[in-house]
Amino acid sequence: MDKNIHVHFMGIGGSGMTPIAIISKYLGFKVSGCDISPDSYYSGALIKNNIEIQLGHSENQYCF
């Protein structure tokens, strides 16, 4: 599998998306995400794993 793929998660601050994003990062994928709220219970874990969190949900955030 080509791991040079950029994966963008909408709703990355949620309890389901955060662990999937972190696992994807550890597997070698480039990971980013967006969420309505900049601060969630899980945002610290995302920041600790160097995963970019963008505010809001907009088409130009995930069209690469």
Side-chain angles (χ1 to χ4, degrees), residues 16-33:
M17 290 295 189
T18 296
I20 295 170
I22 292 170
I23 290 167
S24 297
K25 178 86 174 192
Y26 278 114
L27 290 174
F29 293 95
K30 181 176 179 183
V31 176
S32 65

Side-chain angles (χ1 to χ4, degrees), residues 16-52:
M17 290 295 189
T18 296
I20 295 170
I22 292 170
I23 290 167
S24 297
K25 178 86 174 192
Y26 278 114
L27 290 174
F29 293 95
K30 181 176 179 183
V31 176
S32 65
C34 60
D35 209 315
I36 294 295
S37 175
D39 297 314
S40 74
Y41 182 80
Y42 303 100
S43 59
L46 293 166
I47 293 167
K48 181 180 175 183
N49 285 281
N50 297 315
I51 297 174
E52 179 185 353

Side-chain angles (χ1 to χ4, degrees), residues 7-21:
V7 182
H8 185 84
F9 293 90
M10 292 184 71
I12 196 166
S15 62
M17 290 295 189
T18 296
I20 295 170

